[in-house]
Amino acid sequence: MTDSRGSTEYDVVVVGAGPVGENVADRARAGGLSAAIVESELVGGECSYWACMPSKALLRPVTARADARKVPGLRQAVQGPLDTAAVLAHRDEYTSHWKDDGQVDWLDSIGADLYRGHGRLSGRRTVTVTDPDGESRVLTARHAVAVCTGSRAVVPDTPGLADARPWTSREATSAKAAPGRLVVVGGGVVGVEMATAWQALGSQVTLLVRGGGLLPKMEPFAGELVAAALTEAGADVRTGATVVSVERGTGPVTVVLEGGERIEADEILVATGRAPRTEDIGLETVGLEPGSWLSVDDSCRVEGFDWLYAVGDVNHRALLTHQGKYQARISGAAITARAQGVPLLETDRWGAHSATADHAAVSQVVFTDPEAASAGLTLAEAERAGHRATAVDFDMSGVAGAGLYADGYRGHARMIVDADREVLLGATFVGPGVSELLHSATVAVAGEVPIDRLWHAVPAYPTISEVWLRLLETYRG
């Protein structure tokens, strides 16, 4: 670990050493600026230890087995249960057993100084770090302070819930064994992914969704197909289910629903939303509200400030690791340009200082069985934005490559076309293996590729990518 105790002044001070903060520091160092980074937990952050990496390590065996069971000549060999202990051990390897030595070495390799402790803004361009021994040190930024503290799971104030020792996403991805019975509250990404994983790893899952369907931020068919697959896998999926109270002593937990039904389980996972980790980082010292999301411009500079940046989840633009890292690259380049006195408009090649993808081309994969993948706008979002939008749908079972991928392939594709400009505004795919289709959609949306040009992007036969040809044929009629 590098720790420049002889110097407390840097060009850039980054609060939060998750993947977003790491990338801000990296871009600042690449631009010739000095950088300090402050972390109160593990370097590498939520994604490395409690989110992206462990959750996908849990889910990959689930989807691989599901795919194999649909392949002739292989299905009989994979009818048994998953080796849960082996899956959890593999998960532990991908989290480096919750040790951050490798990430610390990487920070050292780029020349960023790491300060372990709790970082709080303490005035203009200053951050006070309190280390685990209670000692404090003030870091001063010549040019910028970047808040990259991420988000945390929200635990609703449902009577009895807080005292019931609920799981959040952290406990769900780091659990050492599969609970016999698991109640999952929430039908968003965390809820459906963890329901998928733990049902396959031996739990009896009950998924409770207050609204009318799963994955409410995606096209409706995505949630419908995922719900059907979870049900077939043995999970009890209930929509329109409102939890009114939770009870727990020293043993099982009891979930009480509106109407009086009681469901008993060994654990309860609450996956009902995220909140910014800004409640205790000194926002009040610079006139901002503790616990608030931070509004930023497209360079991720906080509105009303010339030195304060908020990057990643804390700005509430797109709560996804890859979008946060994208913002970090943008903001790091913008900080460097401003520090060097270079007008952004003169150096903004390829939009290097403007996070436009946050508005128009956000991509996301839900790693359930089947996978759900989307880029850009849904039909509802496009219409709300005032576009004259057309939805083009195709049943993916009609694609030759899909049938070869798996017997009885079930999936659906939709592209959203701007009828005035004839460019793609969005695309959604649901089905086994569709995550690898997504970047082509992201390129088409971000690049505003005309439909007439997409005709000449010829998909290889026989692959699932041939769905692009079928969508275009459907659009042309």
Side-chain angles (χ1 to χ4, degrees), residues 345-358:
L345 291 178
E346 293 181 11
T347 62
D348 198 10
R349 298 178 67 197
W350 308 301
H353 305 123
S354 184
T356 56
D358 288 342

Side-chain angles (χ1 to χ4, degrees), residues 235-259:
D236 182 3
V237 179
R238 306 191 189 187
T239 57
T242 300
V243 177
V244 296
S245 66
V246 178
E247 302 167 5
R248 186 170 207 166
T250 58
V253 60
T254 299
V255 180
V256 182
L257 301 183
E258 191 173 61

Side-chain angles (χ1 to χ4, degrees), residues 274-288:
R274 308 286 296 179
R277 294 184 65 184
T278 59
E279 64 276 7
D280 187 25
I281 61 167
L283 291 183
E284 69 280 3
T285 68
V286 295
L288 296 171

Side-chain angles (χ1 to χ4, degrees), residues 77-390:
V78 289
Q79 288 303 313
L82 290 170
D83 184 338
T84 301
V87 173
L88 297 181
H90 180 63
R91 182 270 319 269
D92 293 350
E93 290 180 13
Y94 265 84
T95 59
S96 301
H97 299 274
W98 290 274
K99 295 179 181 178
D100 63 3
D101 296 358
Q103 300 275 21
V104 172
D105 288 344
W106 179 82
L107 280 180
D108 187 50
S109 75
I110 67 169
D113 289 358
L114 171 63
Y115 290 83
R116 288 195 183 272
H118 182 64
R120 299 182 84 255
L121 292 166
S122 48
R124 180 179 173 83
R125 290 195 173 96
T126 60
V127 175
T128 298
V129 184
T130 304
D131 69 22
D133 296 325
E135 298 292 326
S136 295
R137 180 180 292 268
V138 177
L139 307 179
T140 302
R142 298 183 190 93
H143 300 293
V145 173
V147 175
C148 308
T149 49
S151 64
R152 58 176 175 80
V154 172
V155 177
D157 58 0
T158 304
L161 179 58
D163 295 328
R165 304 181 300 280
W167 279 8
T168 66
S169 53
R170 284 196 169 196
E171 290 78 17
T173 57
S174 62
K176 300 303 182 184
R181 299 162 299 174
L182 174 65
V183 167
V184 179
V185 182
V189 176
V190 171
V192 298
E193 286 192 344
M194 290 299 94
T196 298
W198 289 112
Q199 179 68 35
L201 290 169
S203 299
Q204 175 55 55
V205 171
T206 300
L207 178 60
L208 304 176
V209 183
R210 184 172 59 180
L214 279 53
L215 300 174
K217 295 184 179 180
M218 301 185 84
E219 297 284 8
F221 63 81
E224 292 166 6
L225 287 168
V226 170
L230 276 168
T231 300
E232 288 180 11
D236 182 3
V237 179
R238 306 191 189 187
T239 57
T242 300
V243 177
V244 296
S245 66
V246 178
E247 302 167 5
R248 186 170 207 166
T250 58
V253 60
T254 299
V255 180
V256 182
L257 301 183
E258 191 173 61
E261 183 181 358
R262 300 167 69 86
I263 302 172
E264 188 175 274
D266 298 290
E267 300 291 350
I268 178 172
L269 163 61
V270 180
T272 54
R274 308 286 296 179
R277 294 184 65 184
T278 59
E279 64 276 7
D280 187 25
I281 61 167
L283 291 183
E284 69 280 3
T285 68
V286 295
L288 296 171
E289 182 181 352
S292 64
W293 302 102
L294 299 175
S295 297
V296 298
D297 63 19
D298 277 348
S299 69
C300 295
R301 187 163 61 175
V302 177
E303 294 173 359
F305 293 81
D306 63 359
W307 58 273
L308 184 62
Y309 292 73
V311 194
D313 283 10
V314 290
N315 63 37
H316 208 226
R317 288 164 68 103
L319 277 66
L320 297 159
T321 297
H322 49 277
Q323 292 296 132
K325 292 167 70 174
Y326 160 73
Q327 292 173 16
R329 296 189 293 269
I330 298 292
S331 62
I335 289 168
T336 301
R338 286 171 174 145
Q340 296 170 346
V342 179
L344 297 193
L345 291 178
E346 293 181 11
T347 62
D348 198 10
R349 298 178 67 197
W350 308 301
H353 305 123
S354 184
T356 56
D358 288 342
H359 306 296
V362 173
S363 62
Q364 181 174 20
V365 179
V366 184
F367 291 89
T368 43
D369 171 34
E371 292 176 340
S374 65
L377 305 180
T378 64
L379 176 61
E381 289 169 338
E383 290 176 341
R384 283 197 299 269
H387 297 287
R388 192 165 67 90
T390 299

